[in-house]
Amino acid sequence: MPYTYDDQNIFAKILRGEIPCTKVLETDHALAFTDISPKAPHHVLVIPKGPYVCHDHFALHATDAEIVDFTRAIGKVCAQLGVSPGTQGAGYRLISNAGTDGVQEVPHLHVHILAGRNIGPMVMAPS
Ligand code: 5GP
């Protein structure tokens, strides 16, 4: 089934300026802002400006310009935070949740950049 984008989701409202955010970076096709409930000393969300629900939706349907810009925006935020291992930063984790099993809360593609401490195991063991 094709994706249906809900333009009332919180990130769509942030993009329209209806809800404030703490902006980290803005490019032609992407916006980065701090997570409202940070799980690490650095917790930045990077979103495309286009109406994409999750990563596979974006990867298959976004334009090349959007994909390049979004990917580079993630790199720029890592550089801005000083966490890139290539410049002696301590590293980071990228997470992009999708759908029910991915436990995606907001149905607008976003990548979490988590850094500033050891982020721990990749996936929590089932309880
Ligand atoms: P998900 O579970 O969909 O991958 O993550 C959604 C993220 O959005 C969560 O980490 C949550 O804290 C964050 N979030 C939810 N509402 C807001 C908001 O209004 N502003 C900001 N900056 N982050 C939000």
Side-chain angles (χ1 to χ4, degrees):
M1 194 173 88
Y3 285 107
T4 302
Y5 180 79
D6 170 16
D7 68 4
Q8 293 307 306
N9 77 75
I10 287 170
F11 295 167
K13 291 180 181 179
I14 286 176
L15 282 168
R16 291 194 294 267
E18 295 166 12
I19 291 178
C21 71
T22 302
K23 195 185 294 186
V24 173
L25 179 84
E26 182 166 9
T27 64
D28 287 349
H29 297 290
L31 179 68
F33 51 94
T34 57
D35 196 292
I36 203 167
S37 176
K39 304 296 187 296
H42 296 301
H43 188 168
V44 176
L45 302 171
V46 188
I47 67 174
K49 291 182 176 176
Y52 302 102
V53 175
C54 59
H55 194 270
D56 65 277
H57 187 203
F58 181 73
L60 295 175
H61 296 284
T63 65
D64 289 0
E66 288 176 306
I67 291 171
V68 168
D69 183 279
F70 178 68
T71 304
R72 291 227 193 281
I74 294 169
K76 286 175 187 170
V77 171
C78 291
Q80 205 169 302
L81 296 175
V83 299
S84 307
T87 51
Q88 278 68 56
Y92 56 89
R93 181 166 298 157
L94 298 184
I95 298 174
S96 190
N97 299 317
T100 307
D101 280 1
V103 196
Q104 180 179 10
E105 179 192 328
V106 180
H108 182 112
L109 170 61
H110 49 285
V111 168
H112 299 253
I113 301 175
L114 295 155
R117 66 167 170 81
N118 185 304
I119 302 301
M122 187 167 73
V123 178
M124 297 276 284
S127 50

